[in-house]
Amino acid sequence: MLVLALDSSATASVALGQWTADGVRLLGQCKTSDTRSHAEVMAPYVQQTLEQAQLTAKDLDAVLVGRGPGPFTGLRAGIMTARVLSFAHHIPCYGLMSLYTIAESAYEHAQEHQNQRFLVATDARRREVYSAEFELTEHGYQLCTEPAVGSASNLKDLPVYGAGAGLYSNVLNAVADFTHVQPEAYGLLHAAWRLGQKNLKTETSALYLRESDAKVPQSMVTAGTA
C-alpha cells in the first residue's frame, strides 16, 4: 500500500512510504526546518517526493495528513494540500494528530528507561506548548489524554519528549537527545502503520486548540449588521 504523508504542524514535510506487513519502507521524502514557509513548499514537496520514487499521484493508495495541533496558517497548508490530492485522485485521506509522530520517535527510549507514561510537547508560541500524554503498551504506545495547549509549568511531572521540552527545560523533565524532535511526515507514516488502517479516521479537520490571533475589526462587524 502506497501512502503519501504530509505534516505542517510545526515544520513542513512530505514522505512517501510503502506499508507492508513488517513495517514502512520509505520511498522518498522532503522536509524543512523552517516553521514559516509551509504554504510555499508543501505542493513542490509533494511533487519532488513522488519524483524521487519515480511515481505519480495516480499511483497512490491513500493520503495521510497531520491534523496538528499547530498554528493556523501552517497547519492549513498541509491539510488543504492533502485534501486536494485526495479529491483529485479519488483516494482516501486519513487524518492523525501530529503529536503521535513524536511518540513514535520516543517510545523505544521510554521502554528502555521504564518511562511507562510520558509527555510529548511542541512549541505553541505565546510562551506555551502543545502537549499530549502517552502510555506504553505491549505493542508500542497509546494516547492517554487529548492534546492541550498551555504553560509548560502546568504539565505533569513526567518525562517530556519533543522540541517543546527543549524550550522549557528549566521547568520540564526534558529528555536529552529528544529536545529537537518535531512532528514530521516520516514519523506520521510509522505511527499510522502502527495504529493500523482499520483504526484510522478520515477526519482531517485542524486541531487548532485556541482562537486565531487575527480578529475582525469591530467597525466591519458593525457594518455587517447594519
Side-chain angles (χ1 to χ4, degrees), residues 31-140:
K31 58 183 179 179
T32 178
S33 59
D34 187 359
T35 59
R36 298 182 184 274
S37 62
H38 307 78
E40 292 85 355
V41 302
M42 290 306 295
Y45 277 5
V46 168
Q47 185 63 34
Q48 293 169 30
T49 299
L50 289 168
E51 288 176 352
Q52 289 175 24
Q54 298 182 333
L55 296 171
T56 70
K58 295 180 180 179
D59 297 308
L60 297 174
D61 295 307
V63 179
L64 173 68
V65 66
R67 297 178 57 203
F72 285 73
T73 303
L75 197 52
R76 282 198 299 266
I79 290 174
M80 292 309 299
T81 303
R83 287 176 178 175
V84 168
L85 283 168
S86 171
F87 177 80
H89 299 285
H90 308 287
I91 53 177
C93 182
Y94 300 107
L96 186 64
M97 183 185 70
S98 300
L99 295 179
Y100 269 100
T101 72
I102 300 179
E104 182 68 27
S105 300
Y107 90 93
E108 288 186 351
H109 180 279
Q111 285 179 325
E112 182 180 347
H113 292 80
Q114 299 183 337
N115 297 331
Q116 184 60 32
R117 287 201 171 211
F118 61 92
L119 294 164
V120 302
T122 60
D123 182 18
R125 302 172 187 172
R126 302 186 192 174
R127 298 182 180 179
E128 293 181 329
V129 294
Y130 297 118
S131 65
E133 183 178 340
F134 289 83
E135 180 180 34
L136 295 178
T137 67
E138 181 181 355
H139 301 293

Side-chain angles (χ1 to χ4, degrees), residues 181-193:
V181 178
Q182 298 272 30
E184 62 176 58
Y186 180 56
L188 202 68
L189 282 173
H190 282 269
W193 175 87

